[in-house]
Amino acid sequence: MTLILGIESSCDDTAIAVVNTDRTILSNRVFSQSDLHADFGGIVPEIAARAHAERLDIVAEAALTEAGVALGDIDLVAVTSGPGLIGGVLSGVMFAKGMAAGADIPLIGVNHLAGHALTPRLTDGLEFPYLMLLVSGGHCQFLAVTGPDEFTRMGGTIDDAPGEAFDKTARLLGLSQPGGPLVQAEAESGDPKRFAFPRPLMDRPGFDMSFSGLKTALRRARDKIVEEKGGITRQDRADLCASFQQAVADVLRKKTARALTAFAAEHGATTIAVAGGVAANTAVRAGLQQAARDAGFTFTAPPLKLCTDNGAMIAWAGWERYRLGQSDDMTLAARPRWPLDKTAAPMLGSGKRGAKA
Amino acid sequence: MLAHAREEMSKGQAERLMPMLSDVSDGFAVDALAVCTGPGNFTGIRIAVAAARGLALSRGIPAVGVSALDSLAPLQGEALVVADARQGRLYSQLFRDGQAVNAPDMLEIDEIAQAAPQCWHIVGHRAEEVAERLASTDWREAPHADLAAIARLAAERIAAGTVERPAPLYLRPADAAVPSEAPPTLLP
């Protein structure tokens, strides 16, 4: 038996899990910070960093207790060492170093995106190669996954991530955060055809997407209603949410269909796996499932607890690296930016911090 | 003091801290950890506090946080302790016989001059400058926290049974603004 402690603190969840290499998850604790950020309409990096630094040990104790193991039983400490909000990543990396050094256990740094991308191997024992759509509040990309350390980015968003667009939509309509579930709930009683929101880049070849124009269109539609009536009715809000959600789902479905065709041409029709909080949206998921059926792919999505940020995926991805003979020492650095595909041309972000994706 | 190391660096603390700790503590059975909780650079303090918490948990030993201002307070007499808060400001706190008299605060140098009793001894960053404003000749420049004092104070707190998990001493709120735009009115 080999046990891995996985530590994740790159965004607004302090998450630690104990995972057995036979794919059993012994514990998976997540200490959410959403209450701390609620008043600010988004995640405040300094608030996140402060909370992580003072919660990591508490969450680790809870994860070990729930798993019923002592630290001495742990064989590997895996930690997200990027990309993400640097204050949180740094706190996690330093805490992991303390744990590993104090208990004399090997340490391994994990790319947060690799954690998401390898999750289907933890949950379903999926074999390589497969197509991964990572769609969350911070990321949106298609990855051809051909090995534990082999990711080819086929395309992705050139501006906002869809989760960000859901959050902004919620903010513009007076709904609270995180916006995804609330926008979906509103959309259930709304008319998805009332507002003709744009489907950007749909006429262009390739798999790149854009979501920032969508929120501008939503704002304009909202402002127009406010100008006419002095506010918005519940039905207006539901219709705005439904029309917005439909636009996101359409873009993701059509771009996914294209990515599936291209992936199949190179690797054959295998499996498409999705991860990230937006994959939990029922309209988005229905569209992706349809695209998978049409292309003859199997569709898989990890359960929501393993789709959003968690420590189990970091533990697993750490194991995938470790069994290839890789590990890190006490000089492991935290990286705010760290594209999974080292060869692809930068798509998003540049300057001294480097490409974001 | 049995062993000691200090390296000046503006970045890279996260990569150097553990190797330095390993070198300094090599050959000793350490019974407790003391960590400076600031006030100072937020990122730097978090690096040390997070590592100390991880080590404390894995070793099953206590970790104790001690402020840089506490570490500079003289054991006898009255003192105004100051530390660099950047942008021309100072962290400051008054002590009597090593015990804090007030809560630490972040002030402009001119505000310190108004707030502090003139007769007190001044210790810390820019101590000479502060002393000039207070017309005092009794000052001692100390650019850094006192590591030996941090260890000694931690040992005293462990002996007294007053140990909590170390937490950074920020003294200023996180830089965050509540959104200015109000949501639309919801019509009935």
Side-chain angles (χ1 to χ4, degrees):
Chain A
M1 183 169 85
T2 302
L3 296 180
I4 308 141
L5 186 81
I7 302 171
E8 154 62 34
S9 58
S10 67
C11 193
D12 64 338
D13 288 317
T14 313
I16 301 187
V18 178
V19 174
N20 190 323
T21 53
D22 71 3
R23 296 180 23 223
T24 317
I25 296 169
L26 278 69
S27 64
N28 189 21
R29 302 293 288 219
V30 179
F31 194 163
S32 167
Q33 299 179 4
S34 22
D35 55 329
L36 300 181
H37 303 278
D39 291 345
F40 303 101
I43 296 160
V44 181
E46 176 61 21
I47 291 177
R50 290 183 180 195
H52 285 304
E54 296 181 37
R55 289 178 174 185
L56 282 156
D57 53 347
I58 294 165
V59 180
E61 284 169 346
L64 288 166
T65 304
E66 188 188 325
V69 299
L71 189 60
D73 302 324
I74 299 290
D75 301 288
L76 176 67
V77 174
V79 61
T80 299
S81 54
L85 298 174
I86 191 64
V89 177
L90 254 182
S91 297
V93 165
M94 294 314 295
F95 175 74
K97 286 181 183 177
M99 291 283 274
D104 202 16
I105 305 169
L107 171 74
I108 195 152
V110 170
N111 182 309
H112 175 84
L113 302 174
H116 281 301
L118 296 171
T119 298
R121 290 173 53 74
L122 166 66
T123 54
D124 300 276
L126 202 59
E127 298 290 335
F128 302 115
Y130 56 89
L131 178 67
M132 184 79 206
L133 169 60
L134 178 56
V135 57
S136 69
H139 304 279
C140 181
Q141 47 187 298
F142 291 109
L143 293 162
V145 187
T146 49
D149 210 11
E150 292 168 39
F151 308 93
T152 309
R153 193 196 66 216
M154 299 171 66
T157 184
I158 57 166
D159 42 52
D160 290 356
E164 226 173 327
F166 269 98
D167 286 347
K168 282 176 184 166
T169 295
R171 221 171 299 148
L172 286 168
L173 300 178
L175 300 166
S176 55
Q177 300 288 317
L182 293 164
V183 170
Q184 175 175 323
E186 288 287 316
E188 270 163 31
S189 53
D191 174 6
K193 294 199 175 113
R194 178 169 159 199
F195 300 96
F197 289 138
R199 271 74 168 157
L201 301 185
M202 212 69 124
D203 52 340
R204 308 250 187 99
F207 324 106
D208 287 348
M209 292 165 274
S210 162
F211 295 98
S212 79
L214 191 50
K215 75 177 186 251
T216 313
L218 181 109
R219 177 192 283 273
R220 279 211 202 96
R222 181 203 69 170
D223 289 351
K224 200 163 160 241
I225 301 169
V226 172
E227 212 172 284
E228 285 164 12
K229 308 182 191 171
I232 60 171
T233 65
R234 284 185 188 279
Q235 192 57 51
D236 291 332
R237 185 165 75 180
D239 293 346
L240 284 163
C241 285
S243 300
F244 162 82
Q245 181 176 278
Q246 194 59 51
V248 174
D250 279 356
V251 171
L252 285 168
R253 177 172 53 83
K254 291 200 179 150
K255 290 286 180 176
T256 300
R258 273 190 214 169
L260 288 166
T261 306
F263 181 90
E266 195 170 341
H267 305 285
T270 59
T271 299
I272 173 167
V274 298
V278 180
N281 180 282
T282 46
V284 168
R285 186 180 285 227
L288 300 176
Q289 282 168 323
Q290 184 60 51
R293 262 196 305 276
D294 294 347
F297 275 69
T298 309
F299 176 91
T300 183
L304 187 60
K305 255 201 101 151
L306 298 171
C307 235
T308 51
D309 291 353
N310 65 87
M313 70 177 190
I314 301 305
W316 181 260
W319 167 243
E320 294 256 26
R321 269 196 70 200
Y322 186 72
R323 67 176 164 188
L324 293 178
Q326 302 173 9
S327 67
D328 289 292
D329 63 18
M330 288 296 143
T331 63
L332 174 66
R335 302 168 65 174
R337 291 186 176 181
W338 184 4
L340 258 189
D341 183 339
K342 295 159 221 82
T343 57
M347 185 166 62
L348 204 56
S350 60
K352 70 174 179 188
R353 289 198 295 160
K356 184 177 174 209
Chain B
M1 187 157 4
L2 298 170
H4 171 262
R6 173 188 296 280
E7 289 178 18
E8 292 287 338
M9 57 182 82
S10 58
K11 56 176 184 180
Q13 291 94 335
E15 289 88 323
R16 279 296 292 143
L17 181 67
M18 298 303 287
M20 284 177 73
L21 191 59
S22 164
D23 288 347
V24 170
S25 61
D26 190 32
F28 301 113
V30 173
D31 298 309
L33 285 163
V35 58
C36 181
T37 53
N41 176 282
F42 295 169
T43 301
I45 299 163
R46 274 196 288 269
I47 285 171
V49 166
R53 282 182 171 228
L55 278 163
L57 181 57
S58 61
R59 283 288 163 112
I61 56 176
V64 186
V66 177
S67 96
L69 300 167
D70 280 358
S71 83
L72 293 173
L75 292 175
Q76 266 99 44
E78 296 173 323
L80 168 66
V81 179
V82 284
D84 188 10
R86 303 277 176 94
Q87 295 162 335
R89 288 176 292 189
L90 292 168
Y91 297 115
S92 85
Q93 194 172 15
L94 295 167
F95 289 85
R96 184 177 295 114
D97 297 335
Q99 301 296 313
V101 173
N102 62 1
D105 203 357
M106 184 178 65
L107 299 167
E108 301 288 338
I109 196 161
D110 293 328
E111 294 174 318
I112 292 175
Q114 286 157 20
Q118 300 196 357
C119 55
W120 289 26
H121 173 57
I122 297 139
V123 186
H125 173 77
R126 294 167 76 190
E128 181 174 11
E129 233 177 302
V130 175
E132 262 170 39
R133 311 262 173 143
L134 296 173
S136 165
T137 51
D138 184 15
W139 53 270
R140 182 171 69 84
E141 197 76 33
H144 304 294
D146 183 334
L147 273 178
I150 286 174
R152 178 179 49 76
L153 287 167
E156 284 173 18
R157 287 174 201 178
I158 290 167
T162 53
V163 174
E164 285 174 20
R165 293 175 200 247
L169 184 60
Y170 292 109
L171 296 187
R172 50 180 137 174
D175 201 4
V178 177
S180 51
E181 191 187 355
T185 311
L186 199 57
L187 302 172

